[in-house]
Amino acid sequence: MKKATGVITRPDSLYPFPEFTADAGPAAGDFGHIVGSRPLGVFAPPSVAALRDFVALVGPRGLPVTARGGGYSVYGQGQAEGGYVVDLSALDEVRCTSATRTLTAGAGASWSEVVRAALAEGLTPPVLPDHLGGSVGGLLSTGGLGGSSHRHGLVADHVRELEVVTGAGDLVTCSRERHPDLFDAVLAGLGQCAVIVSATLELVPAPALVRRFRLYHHSPGTFFADQRALARDDRFSHVCGQARPALGGTWDYMLEAVAPHTGQLPCDDILLTGGLAHDRNTEEIENLSYEEFVRRMDRDERILRTTGEWQRPHPWLTLLLPEEAAADFVPTVLADHAQSGLRACGVVQLRPLISRTLRAPLLRRPSGELLCLLSLMRTAPPGAPENVREAVAANRALYERARELGGVLHPTSALPMTCGDWRTHFGPAWETLARAKERYDPYSVLTRGYGLWP
């Protein structure tokens, strides 16, 4: 990689950019509330050209540049210690083209705005994240998993075209046909080679109504067997699950499965749930509009913000496991004293995945066809920093145990990673990423918060 000039660009030397501010404000932290930083300032480009010019100026000086959308990283991945945070909130235009079933969204647009524009045309992205408050650019840089990923893969797998600004300050349009090496390095590439400016997404017809089933299991064995069965067929468009605290210190398992619904009654539910081993006396079934379903997290967010839990530390950990290991691994994790806080302040999410549907080359996954996503979404109690440190240490121990079983980290986690850890994580894809980094971010200034490079 090229050497930077060594000239430090201080805030007072950025006078050509009136959108620059030396007050970092919220950009010095993130949703995780664990890692803080001291950026030199924040740049809020009003246009793509302004962003290109800014990166072209500070990049050769070797100063870190990190794009910020919704600010939902949990361990400083989106921060820029000693450098500049680029606030993409002004690049939020969303345009839906129903004739081609595509939607083009600025990197700073939220997924809530994407849903609004797509549903106005009776369309939807094939895969959506559970939480719609994050930005388009931020989610695509990590890949993006959702309830329909067992059928349709990542959110990033349905990107038709990207417009990006590379670390060299070049504005490039890339796709599977144009600059495919850059395209593949950006999607699920953790922001290492370019800043996403906009993305063109493929859309599909949206159902008007869905029928949602919540199916409860007292045994992890029956839960994982049912989840495995639903991952293999197409009776449900969305499948995900949770482990929930039960009496006596045990855990129950809830499988949430959603299918498009015509609204006509009566519903023959046995066609959808027949052959499953859940407790039929406790099943919950309801009809929702599709929009109500995809916005299901909005109410939860409002409650968490009101109670203050949203503003507390979030030492989350997300792992991808070989499916055959999950039925034994997950109950062992939940019985571990280090994870006891999950019973009072946390959500344990489980999601079936099929490896062949996950197409972004840089998304690492375990070997085998069937996979299970395990996400431990903890919230630390207020005023107890030692609990946060203990949770991060527990994340590391659990990650090591998962690796022994062939598990893989999903990088949206509160886990310190060394350069060696990342090299192991990417495995055979490491050299491909390193070559793309050298070509498209020659000064190695982009998104240093992940710690991939020395």
Side-chain angles (χ1 to χ4, degrees), residues 20-156:
F20 178 85
T21 174
D23 180 13
D30 55 26
F31 177 69
H33 299 295
I34 300 172
V35 176
S37 65
R38 295 165 296 176
L40 296 178
V42 178
F43 177 63
S47 66
V48 174
L51 172 59
R52 178 196 59 206
D53 292 346
F54 184 83
V55 176
L57 172 67
V58 302
R61 290 157 174 80
L63 296 169
V65 176
T66 299
R68 181 183 176 90
Y72 283 103
S73 60
V74 298
Y75 203 67
Q77 294 95 334
Q79 295 176 31
E81 176 72 26
Y84 299 101
V85 175
V86 175
D87 178 359
L88 296 176
S89 57
L91 304 183
D92 62 349
E93 183 181 4
V94 178
R95 304 187 311 276
C96 185
T97 306
S98 57
T100 58
R101 290 185 179 175
T102 59
L103 179 147
T104 299
S110 70
W111 288 97
S112 180
E113 285 301 304
V114 168
V115 166
R116 181 197 58 77
L119 287 183
E121 301 295 337
L123 301 168
T124 182
V127 185
L128 282 167
D130 295 336
H131 178 243
L132 300 179
S135 68
V136 168
L139 187 76
L140 295 181
S141 70
T142 60
L145 290 161
S148 58
S149 288
H150 69 293
R151 294 180 61 179
H152 300 296
L154 304 170
V155 178

Side-chain angles (χ1 to χ4, degrees), residues 220 224 243 253 321 325-335 348 350 372 374:
F224 282 104
Y253 295 80
L321 305 168
D328 292 328
F329 184 78
V330 171
T332 301
V333 169
L334 298 180
V348 179
L350 298 160
C372 176
L374 168 63

Side-chain angles (χ1 to χ4, degrees), residues 1 141 180-194 361-364 411 418-419 421-442 444 446-447 450-453:
M1 297 181 186
S141 70
D181 62 328
L182 179 58
F183 186 73
D184 286 343
V186 172
L187 295 174
L190 310 183
Q192 294 303 301
C193 297
L362 288 181
L363 182 89
R364 310 320 297 154
T418 66
C419 298
D421 288 333
W422 284 116
R423 183 182 288 270
T424 300
H425 170 83
F426 281 102
W430 175 259
E431 294 302 329
T432 300
L433 177 59
R435 286 194 298 270
K437 179 77 169 177
E438 185 165 5
R439 179 176 181 182
Y440 293 109
D441 183 21
S444 193
L446 294 181
T447 320
Y450 281 98
L452 268 72
W453 318 99

Side-chain angles (χ1 to χ4, degrees), residues 152-173:
H152 300 296
L154 304 170
V155 178
D157 291 330
H158 300 277
V159 173
R160 188 168 293 182
E161 186 175 86
L162 292 170
E163 188 176 27
V164 303
V165 172
T166 70
D170 297 322
L171 179 63
V172 182
T173 299

Side-chain angles (χ1 to χ4, degrees), residues 197-215:
V197 172
S198 68
T200 299
L201 311 171
E202 300 167 352
L203 302 176
V204 296
L209 298 172
V210 297
R211 193 158 175 85
R212 178 167 68 177
F213 298 78
R214 287 175 170 162
L215 311 175

